[in-house]
Amino acid sequence: MDEARSGFQVDALPNTGTSNYLLVGDNAYGYTYAASSAYLSYIGDVDVYLMELDYGSSYSLVTGSAAPLYSPGPYNSNFALLNRYGTILAFSTDYGSYSGLSFTATDTRYYVAEYSDSLGYYSIRLANNTITEQNGLGETIIPGHVYSARIDYSSDVDIYDFYAQAGHVYFVKLTTQVQDLYLDVEYMDLRVDNLVATGSGAYYFTAGATGAYSLHLSSNSFHQIGNYSFVAGEIVAALVAATPGSRAEGSSGSTGFTFTVSLAQPVTSAQSVGWSVVGSGAHPADAADFAGGVLPSGTLTFTAGEASKVVTVNVAADALVEPDEGFSLVLGSPSVGLMLGSATAAATILNDDVSLPLLTGTAGNDALVGTNGVDTLNGGPGGQDTLTGGAGADRFEVMAGTAAITDLGAGGAAHSWSRAGPLPPPRWQQPGPPPPRARMLGRPAWWRQASA
C-alpha cells in the first residue's frame, strides 16, 4: 500500500518506516519534524518508502515542498535510493525548488529515504519512464461516462479526479481482469476510504466533506496487471407516490391506478428499479382484484437524463358488493446507481356497488312495492301477493301461493302478469319486459332460472 493506504497523513512512525509503499504516478506526503543532513552527519527524521518495480524499466523520483497544499514546506527536501538490503545506492540531486534522481531498475525492490535539513511538509513522486500508460493521470470523471484503461506494470496507479458533496453517496461499477484491484478514494490527497475489489462489482463511497476527490486504482499485491473499465456517479434516490391514492373500481372492464416513480435528480447513465403490487390495509386486495387475475409487477428503466416514470396498475371492475380494499406498489431491486427512498405507495379500491334491496312477504297476503332502483321482491311462503317493481331491473321471487306482478318497463310503462308458485319454488329472474298482462302458467323462454 502507499502512504494513503496505511493512514500515513503527516509522518511515518519509526516502527512502520518500511510499510509505506510508493506507487508509480502517485504523490506521497509527509512531514519532516527533525532536520537531517547526509553530508553533515546528523540524522533527525527520515521517512522510508518501499517501491516494487519492474526489472529493466527506467524510473524518476522527484521530491519538493508540499506547499501550498500543506504548509509550511521545508526549504529543501532530499532523498536517498537504497537497495533491498538497505544499502544506499545514490542521493538525489538538488535542483533548487525540488530534488530528483533517475535510475534503471536492476532489481524489483527498492527503498527511498526522504529527509530534509529543515522542517515542513514535503511531497515525493515516482514515475515510470519506460511504459506509456493508457490513461491520463488526473483525468476528471464525468458521471455516467465509461472509462477504460489498464494497470500496466508493477506498482502502477491510475488516478481520476471527481467532485463530491458532503453526505452524498457515490458508486463505482467496475469490470476488471485484475482480481485484487485496489480502490483508494482520497480527499486533499489523503485517504478517506478504500477497499480491495475482488474482481468486477459495484462499490460505494460516502463523501465526508465537499470538495475535490481522487480515485486511485492499483493492484493490491503490486504485481497483477490487466485491463479494467468503470462507470461512476452519484447514487440517486428513487421515490414512488400514488396519483390519486383512491379510485372507484368501476362496473365493467378495468380501472387504471397510476403511480409516479420519481428520482431525486436525473440519472447520468441507464438505471432500473423493479416494482410489485401487494395487498395492504384492513381489507387487502388479492390477485382476483386485478386485470388478468395476477398481482402486477415489472421493471422501470430510466435512460440518461430521465427523472420520472409512471406505472399504471389496472384493477378489474366487478358488480360485487365488497368493502374498500387496499394495495401498495413497492419498489425493489434498484440498479447500481439508484437507492430506494420512499419505496412504498398505498392506494384504495373504493367499492361502488350497492346491495339489492330485499322486500320479503309473509305467509299471508302481502303487497310489496319496490323502489326506482334494483330490488328483489319475495312474496314469502304463501298468500296471494301483489308485487310491484319500480323503474329498476328488479327480481321477483314467488315461493308459494300466487302473486300478481307488476313491473315498470322502458319509459315507465307498466307490465303486469300473475304467477302461481309451485313447491319447491323455482326462482326466476326477469331479463326483459314481458308482454302486457301475460298469464304465466308455465315457464316462458324469456325467463331464466336464477336458483333452485
Side-chain angles (χ1 to χ4, degrees):
M1 52 186 153
D2 64 7
E3 91 296 338
R5 300 187 190 193
S6 65
F8 169 50
Q9 296 188 6
V10 294
D11 194 37
L13 298 176
N15 61 349
T16 60
T18 59
S19 66
N20 297 288
Y21 289 80
L22 185 61
L23 299 184
V24 178
D26 203 357
N27 284 317
Y29 296 92
Y31 183 76
T32 300
Y33 65 87
S36 301
S37 174
Y39 303 104
L40 300 179
S41 300
Y42 61 88
I43 303 298
D45 178 27
V46 177
D47 296 338
V48 180
Y49 299 88
L50 170 63
M51 300 180 294
E52 295 281 356
L53 306 180
D54 287 330
Y55 184 88
S57 291
S58 173
Y59 295 89
S60 293
L61 279 164
V62 176
T63 184
S65 171
L69 183 62
Y70 299 107
S71 294
Y75 294 116
N76 57 56
S77 56
N78 305 283
F79 61 84
L81 179 66
L82 292 73
N83 65 14
R84 67 168 60 233
Y85 306 107
T87 301
I88 296 177
L89 302 178
F91 289 97
S92 61
T93 300
D94 191 341
Y95 294 100
S97 60
Y98 68 94
S99 296
L101 174 70
S102 294
F103 65 98
T104 298
T106 57
D107 195 356
T108 58
R109 173 167 289 191
Y110 290 84
Y111 295 96
V112 57
E114 171 78 26
Y115 64 93
S116 176
D117 57 10
S118 59
L119 309 185
Y121 294 92
Y122 67 85
S123 67
I124 185 169
R125 184 180 180 90
L126 173 66
N128 187 319
N129 303 321
T130 301
I131 299 178
T132 301
E133 296 199 46
Q134 290 190 15
N135 74 306
L137 295 178
E139 189 171 3
T140 299
I141 293 176
I142 300 174
H145 180 75
V146 178
Y147 293 86
S148 298
R150 178 178 176 83
I151 301 300
D152 298 285
Y153 47 80
S154 297
S155 294
D156 183 20
V157 59
D158 292 347
I159 303 175
Y160 300 85
D161 296 329
F162 65 98
Y163 183 85
Q165 290 183 282
H168 290 216
V169 182
Y170 299 84
F171 72 91
V172 178
K173 185 178 182 181
L174 183 69
T175 302
T176 180
Q177 297 174 336
V178 182
Q179 295 304 305
D180 69 339
L181 193 66
Y182 187 91
L183 284 76
D184 172 28
V185 178
E186 297 188 12
Y187 176 68
M188 299 289 287
D189 286 319
L190 297 177
R191 183 201 65 191
V192 293
D193 202 0
N194 65 84
L195 58 89
V196 178
T198 56
S200 303
Y203 306 94
Y204 302 90
F205 154 71
T206 301
T210 297
Y213 287 76
S214 57
L215 172 66
H216 298 221
L217 301 177
S218 60
S219 165
N220 191 53
S221 63
F222 310 109
H223 293 292
Q224 287 198 31
I225 62 175
N227 298 324
Y228 67 85
S229 64
F230 72 89
V231 60
E234 182 178 348
I235 296 292
V236 178
L239 316 170
V240 62
T243 51
S246 302
R247 293 194 68 182
E249 65 181 354
S251 57
S252 63
S254 62
T255 300
F257 283 65
T258 58
F259 295 81
T260 300
V261 179
S262 58
L263 306 181
Q265 64 188 50
V267 292
T268 56
S269 60
Q271 303 292 339
S272 63
V273 63
W275 63 270
S276 59
V277 168
V278 297
S280 60
H283 300 284
D286 57 27
D289 292 302
F290 298 93
V294 296
L295 290 171
S297 62
T299 300
L300 295 177
T301 299
F302 295 84
T303 59
E306 287 189 316
S308 181
K309 290 281 188 180
V310 173
V311 176
T312 299
V313 175
N314 290 315
V315 170
D318 60 40
L320 300 177
V321 178
E322 52 194 344
D324 296 341
E325 296 172 309
F327 70 93
S328 295
L329 188 142
V330 181
L331 300 181
S333 303
S335 59
V336 171
L338 296 181
M339 66 178 179
L340 299 180
S342 300
T344 301
T348 303
I349 306 171
L350 300 177
N351 174 63
D352 56 359
D353 302 304
V354 294
S355 301
L356 297 179
L358 175 61
L359 291 81
T360 304
T362 65
N365 300 329
D366 302 302
L368 304 180
V369 180
T371 68
N372 288 330
V374 179
D375 306 309
T376 297
L377 290 80
N378 186 311
Q384 295 182 352
D385 303 319
T386 299
L387 308 181
T388 303
D394 301 321
R395 175 187 177 97
F396 300 91
E397 298 177 350
V398 181
M399 306 295 294
T402 61
I405 301 173
T406 300
D407 195 23
L408 297 180
H415 303 283
S416 301
W417 63 96
S418 61
R419 171 65 175 150
L423 292 174
R427 297 184 180 184
W428 312 107
Q429 182 174 10
Q430 178 192 11
R437 301 193 177 277
R439 181 172 181 79
M440 298 176 55
L441 298 178
R443 180 173 58 183
W446 43 267
W447 281 85
R448 174 171 66 86
Q449 183 174 7
S451 60

